[in-house]
Structure formats: structure tokens, C-alpha cells
Amino acid sequence: MSPACAALALFAATRLGGAVVLAVASRAAGKEPLTLLGRTWDSRWYLGIAADGYGRTLRFGDDVVQSDLAFFPLYPALVRAVGTVLPVDGMTAGLLVSWLAAAVAACGLYALGARLHGRAVGTALVVVWGLLPHSVVLSMAYTEPVLTACAAWSLHAVLTGRWVWAGALACLAGLARPNGIAVAAAVVTAAAVELWRGRRRPARAARRLHRLWTGAALAPLGWTAYLLWVGHRTGDPLGGYFAVQRGWGSRFDFGQDAVGSVRHLVLRGDRLDVAMSLLAVAAAALLYVLLLLDRAPLPLLVHSGVLLLIALGGAGFFASKPRFLLPAFPLLLPLAQALVRTARARPWHATAVVGALAGLSYAYGAYLLILTDTPL
């Protein structure tokens, strides 16, 4: 078995273990595990778009107006395509898209980690990503696997100089989720730096100039096109999408809402999901510092930094912030490197760490889907 296939098999094993724990726990609670994975919270909105297109709006008073225009189109389009080709219902199609995208993302993580730090780190990166506390989302009918797959291979294309592929995949990432703009930011920044450096290498710059410009132009196109489409549909070309998001309570408030959630946690301390979310966001900030100190490639720093900025500065569902950070997989590179060093020096210690991560991931994933009523 090739190293890449071995890494994919390990990722599949991590998620299969979580599915088994969820199945046992949900059956004990009298719930259907596939329904929890395929028709929970945002999944219902995506499946509705896949089945009937856009146009659904729910109103809760004057200030809360939840429109399905807040959800980007790539994932429901893929679900609809699978449902058209295969004789399966919408929920099954949604799960198939997510599972396949998670596998593609895992391969991208391995390729990126192996290129930067060797095969062992690439494999460890895949395992750690599959065992995060919120990695149950990777098994759900959600968009994070699709975004991560596009992001991983787009960043890999940047590092290998395939600019058109990088831009095209960044364009798809921008059609997957609002924070998919982080991929475009990484590609455009890397292209700008390459163009600046190319000024000192005129011959080489001339050969690559058209590919660089094409990739940079493609990168933000998907995200921008969807925002303009929503603006056109709502009658507000530039502000329509952001008005839709405000109806959901989502806006960029420079962290004021996050501070309020932390204050509530400190004063009351009655929400495990908020406490875990706070720990996850704090850990992500620390890991970003370590990534900076490790002098990671600029595209990885920009991608992770934009995702972290959106998570920290955005108002809305605080318990969802760790989910928003699942595509920020470069943050896990320091952990993957540490795990490989531990495995080489003290194999049993590394085994214990992986076992502890698995236990936390599986137990917390079951808790999120079965016991808590907080939107994930």
C-alpha cells in the first residue's frame, strides 16, 4: 500500500470509529444515526436548496429573518447532481458528497504535509484532522469537507506552481462557503509575491505571467459572483448578501460577540459546547503563532490567518466557530510534527495521545449531535 493510501485508510478508520460510537449512542437515545448526520441544522437547508432551489425564508419577529440565500451553492449543486445520477434520496446524496469530499481533502492534507515535512508528518496531519473534537462534522451533510478539499489542493497547486489549478480550485472554494474567500486570499497574495519576485527574473516572469494572472483572476471569482447574484436577487447589488447574513445574526463585529460569549461562560459556566468552542479557538490562535514561528509558506499563513480572523471577529453562533476552523488545517502542522517526533522517540506515548484524541473526538461528537440543542 502506498503512503498516500495508508494515510487515507487511517483517516477512514478515524471517522468510522466515530460513526460506530455515534451509532451506538444514538440507538441508546432512541435516535437514528444517519438522520443525525444527514438532516441536522444546516443540512436541512442545503438539502432543501438541492431539491427545490433557492427561495425559502423563515421569519422570527422583525429582526430574525433566515433566508436560504445565506448558503452558498456548490454543495447543494453537487448533492443535486449525485441525486440525479444515482438512485438515492437527497439525504443519502448529501452524505455521499460529504464523505467523498472528506476523503479528497484527506488526500490533499497528506500531499501538502508530505511535501513540506515528509510522509510521516503528512500522515499525522490527516490523523489529527480526523480526530479533532468537532471532526464529527466531516461525517455530516455539511460543506466543510468540500471547502477543505478545494483549499488543500488549491494550496498544494500554489506550492507546486500550478497557478491556473490553484485559481480554479479557489474559485470553487468561494462557491462552497462564505469563508472560502480565505483560499482566494492565499492564492492572490502568493501570486502577487511571485509577480514581485519575477520583476528580477524577466525571462522567467514572461513565461509564467499569463498563468499567474489567470490564477489570480479566477481565485475570487466564485465568491464574488455569488455575492453579486444575491445582491441582484435582493435588489441591493453590493449589500444584499450581507443583509441576508445580518438576518441570521451573522456579521463582522471585530470580536464583540465573542467577548460576550466568553463573559457569559466565565459568569455562568453552564455550557459545555461554548467552553469547548472557546478552548478550540484559543488553541487555534496559539497554533497560528507556532505556524508563524515555524516560518510556514506564505499561502498557508494567509489562508489560516483569514479563517482565524473570520472566526474571531464574526458575530453569530459561537459554538459553530470550531467548525468554521476545520478548513484551517495548516494550523495542525505543528501538532503533526510533534506527534511524529513523539512516535519516533516514545511510540507508546504517541499511541496514548492518539487514543486520547479519539476518545475526546468520539464522545464530544456524540454529545453535539445527541444531547445538545445548540446549532452546530
Side-chain angles (χ1 to χ4, degrees):
M1 181 183 294
S2 69
C5 290
L8 179 59
L10 286 172
F11 173 75
T14 65
R15 298 315 320 138
L16 180 60
V20 170
V21 171
L22 178 63
V24 173
S26 60
R27 293 294 187 186
K31 298 182 179 182
E32 174 59 41
L34 282 180
T35 301
L36 292 175
L37 292 173
R39 292 191 181 276
T40 300
W41 301 113
D42 289 0
S43 300
R44 294 193 292 262
W45 288 90
Y46 283 115
L47 296 183
I49 296 168
D52 304 315
Y54 287 96
R56 182 187 179 197
T57 300
L58 299 179
R59 295 181 180 272
F60 304 91
D62 295 331
D63 297 329
V64 181
V65 182
Q66 296 180 346
S67 168
D68 58 9
L69 292 173
F71 298 92
F72 278 50
L74 179 59
Y75 178 74
L78 293 173
V79 173
R80 189 182 186 95
V82 170
T84 301
V85 173
L86 300 178
V88 296
D89 61 15
M91 184 186 75
T92 303
L95 290 174
L96 288 176
V97 170
S98 294
W99 295 346
L100 179 59
V104 174
C107 292
L109 265 66
Y110 170 79
L112 204 58
R115 177 176 181 82
L116 293 174
H117 302 290
R119 295 174 179 176
V121 172
T123 301
L125 179 63
V126 170
V127 171
V128 173
W129 186 63
L131 292 177
L132 290 174
H134 284 74
S135 61
V136 67
V137 173
L138 303 177
S139 300
M140 298 173 64
Y142 267 53
T143 57
E144 274 69 24
V146 174
L147 173 56
T148 308
C150 294
W153 286 108
S154 178
L155 294 174
H156 186 271
V158 170
L159 296 183
T160 53
R162 294 173 295 165
W163 293 101
V164 176
W165 273 108
L169 289 167
C171 178
L172 290 177
L175 289 170
R177 284 196 53 77
N179 56 353
I181 190 62
V183 188
V187 173
V188 171
T189 301
V193 171
E194 186 68 16
L195 285 169
W196 176 261
R197 291 173 177 171
R199 295 177 62 185
R200 292 174 292 180
R201 301 189 298 270
R204 185 181 178 186
R207 291 196 302 268
R208 303 182 63 188
L209 187 61
H210 70 284
R211 294 195 295 272
L212 278 167
W213 279 111
T214 301
L218 283 173
L221 192 60
W223 188 85
T224 304
Y226 183 68
L227 262 65
L228 291 176
W229 180 80
V230 173
H232 173 74
R233 181 155 175 162
T234 59
D236 183 359
L238 298 180
Y241 175 78
F242 302 103
V244 169
Q245 284 286 11
R246 285 194 297 272
W248 282 83
S250 298
R251 64 192 185 283
F252 193 83
D253 66 351
F254 300 93
Q256 294 180 24
D257 184 73
V259 171
S261 297
V262 173
R263 184 184 300 114
H264 176 88
L265 176 65
V266 171
L267 294 177
R268 297 190 179 184
D270 57 350
R271 294 280 301 276
L272 176 60
D273 55 335
V274 174
M276 286 294 293
S277 297
L278 176 60
L279 288 174
V281 172
L286 175 60
L287 289 172
Y288 189 71
V289 173
L290 295 178
L291 201 65
L292 286 169
L293 294 175
D294 196 38
R295 297 183 180 180
L298 180 62
L300 275 62
L301 293 174
V302 172
H303 170 70
S304 301
V306 172
L307 287 173
L308 188 58
L309 178 64
I310 293 172
L312 288 173
F317 303 105
F318 188 82
S320 298
K321 292 185 183 295
R323 170 169 69 87
F324 301 157
L325 289 170
L326 282 173
F329 57 87
L331 297 176
L332 303 176
L333 280 169
L335 291 181
Q337 292 174 270
L339 183 60
V340 169
R341 289 194 297 268
T342 302
R344 288 170 176 168
R346 301 178 180 86
W348 284 108
H349 290 190
T351 302
V353 169
V354 172
L357 287 175
L360 174 61
S361 176
Y362 299 163
Y364 188 64
Y367 164 79
L368 285 175
L369 290 184
I370 298 172
L371 297 179
T372 184
D373 59 352
T374 302
L376 179 61

